Amino acid sequence: MITVKVDLGERGYDVLVGHGARHRLLEVLPVGVKRAAVVTQESVGVPVDPGVEHQTFLMDDGEEAKCMETVEDLCRRFARWGLTRRDAVVAVGGGVVTDTAGFAAAVYHRGVPVVHVATTLLGQVDAAIGGKTGVNVPEGKNLIGAFWQPAAVLCDTEVLSTLPPREYLSGCGEMAKYHFLGGGSGLGGSSGGGVGLEDLPLDERVAACVRIKADVVASDERESGRRALLNYGHTLAHALETAGHYDLRHGEAVAIGLVFAARLACRMERVDEERVAYHEAVVRGYGLPAELPSGAEAQLLMALMGRDKKAVAGLTFVLDGLRGVEVVAGVSEAVVRDTLHAMGAA
Ligand code: GLY
């Protein structure tokens, strides 16, 4: 089992990564917890035993279930069961469950401890780590939420083998992102001998991604700066997802967004063609798409990217460059449009 620490002082915690990590639940529950409310979905199908009195609270499937109604419903059911501040919530599932149950834990009794048992690759390398919790409203995704760090995260790589192939692939999109955030060759430091994420077996690769995210989160818990780098590839990805009519999972959209960001950076002379080719190779190496979906419309995507909530001045992107990946505001609309057209957008 690999342990990665998220170093946030008194809010710090361990992330356990490995085969069978879900069986370590009792030892990571905060000391003194007597009861656990296990929140999951029927479709997750990963039983856990917290080793203390517990009750399972099912929530619905799908992104639509990540809403205030579910949070209210969970909190009311917690109350009827008698969950107290000395107890804990255990969220078992992918990002929809950990975001929603994490937010319920953040607001119930003004905050009860939560442990995430991440059962999807996307959850293990991103959603469950770092304390972002929240739900969607019709006006936008994740608009209501709280930073609420978990007491621990269990990333059980055993359960990944039962994921639907496309769900697994979606997690690979977030994993691909880490290749450009410190996961390229040289990952092992001076003694690493040119080792990159692509050279690692699954457990170690997940742990390496968690380590990169933990380091970023520890340096900027509330996203006042560096944490925004975790959105590499996400500006176009969110636009593709918001457009709603492209058949893309989140990680697939991120993969396309990474290649787009590299091509945009190349047009802006921040990186060379070789670096673009490396982005494409990483993305394709995971079997992810590197091209825009057919029918992609530059005008619509530009409008949606302009509304990105991370935008600080004009079109804002996370872009690669000589100093590594950084936030770049005020990117020329013409260059963005040309890059989309060069990738086949109408
Ligand atoms: N998923 C991006 C973040 O946690 O900041």
Side-chain angles (χ1 to χ4, degrees):
M1 196 67 54
I2 306 169
T3 302
V4 179
K5 289 199 179 304
V6 183
D7 193 0
L8 285 168
E10 61 181 18
R11 289 184 308 289
Y13 51 96
D14 287 346
V15 182
L16 270 55
V17 182
H19 192 92
R22 68 189 185 282
H23 301 303
R24 307 284 288 267
L25 194 46
L26 177 58
E27 70 191 79
V28 300
L29 280 181
V31 177
V33 163
K34 296 271 183 305
R35 305 203 307 161
V38 178
V39 180
T40 189
Q41 294 158 318
E42 189 107 53
S43 61
V44 171
V46 175
V48 295
D49 180 5
V52 294
E53 185 191 346
H54 60 282
Q55 182 155 312
T56 299
F57 297 84
L58 289 176
M59 56 175 277
D60 287 344
D61 283 336
E63 189 72 23
E64 309 77 52
K66 196 177 132 172
C67 62
M68 286 302 284
E69 201 184 336
T70 305
V71 173
E72 182 178 352
D73 181 56
L74 286 172
C75 290
R76 292 182 62 185
R77 287 154 71 199
F78 294 164
R80 290 199 291 275
W81 187 50
L83 193 78
T84 75
R85 292 183 79 177
R86 289 182 302 281
D87 300 322
V89 171
V90 175
V92 183
V96 167
V97 175
T98 56
D99 281 8
T100 311
F103 184 51
V107 294
Y108 182 74
H109 274 300
R110 298 192 182 86
V112 294
V114 61
V115 172
H116 295 315
V117 181
T119 62
T120 63
L121 183 58
L122 198 141
Q124 296 187 0
V125 299
D126 186 36
I129 318 290
K132 278 190 183 176
T133 71
V135 295
N136 307 324
V137 286
E139 288 73 16
K141 283 184 71 170
N142 298 320
L143 272 192
I144 301 179
F147 285 99
W148 189 246
Q149 298 296 343
V153 181
L154 301 178
C155 298
D156 191 334
T157 49
E158 185 183 5
V159 303
L160 298 180
S161 58
T162 61
L163 283 183
R166 218 161 155 208
E167 175 57 49
Y168 186 83
L169 192 64
S170 184
C172 291
E174 287 290 348
M175 207 172 223
K177 169 186 87 177
Y178 291 107
H179 285 251
F180 314 103
L181 297 175
S185 63
L187 187 60
S190 52
S191 58
V195 172
L197 281 177
E198 62 274 25
D199 304 305
L200 301 176
L202 183 64
D203 285 15
E204 286 178 37
R205 196 186 292 201
V206 170
C209 294
V210 171
R211 212 169 278 121
I212 295 170
K213 177 151 189 185
D215 178 60
V216 172
V217 168
S219 66
D220 180 22
E221 183 183 6
R222 298 206 163 212
E223 199 168 317
S224 50
R226 188 170 172 233
R227 187 163 178 166
L229 304 185
L230 295 172
N231 292 310
Y232 190 38
H234 283 61
T235 312
L236 179 63
H238 287 151
L240 288 165
E241 290 178 279
T242 307
H245 54 283
Y246 306 116
D247 176 27
L248 290 170
R249 304 292 288 257
H250 177 69
E252 295 169 327
V254 169
I256 298 166
L258 290 169
V259 172
F260 168 77
R263 289 192 179 205
L264 179 61
C266 186
R267 268 180 193 262
M268 293 168 71
E269 298 181 353
R270 297 175 55 88
V271 297
D272 57 19
E273 291 287 352
E274 204 179 319
R275 189 70 177 157
V276 176
Y278 177 57
H279 278 70
E280 291 187 1
V282 167
V283 161
R284 290 195 200 284
Y286 282 106
L288 286 157
E291 303 296 339
L292 286 172
S294 65
E297 305 123 299
Q299 194 146 336
L300 171 67
L301 294 172
M302 300 263 308
L304 292 171
M305 288 191 285
R307 273 193 248 146
D308 191 287
K309 62 177 182 282
K310 315 272 182 209
V312 283
L315 286 168
T316 300
F317 293 89
V318 180
L319 293 176
D320 204 358
L322 284 178
R323 292 180 296 268
V325 169
E326 60 191 352
V327 176
V328 182
V331 176
S332 146
E333 281 189 26
V335 180
V336 175
R337 193 177 300 107
D338 288 351
T339 310
L340 286 169
H341 285 145
M343 286 181 75

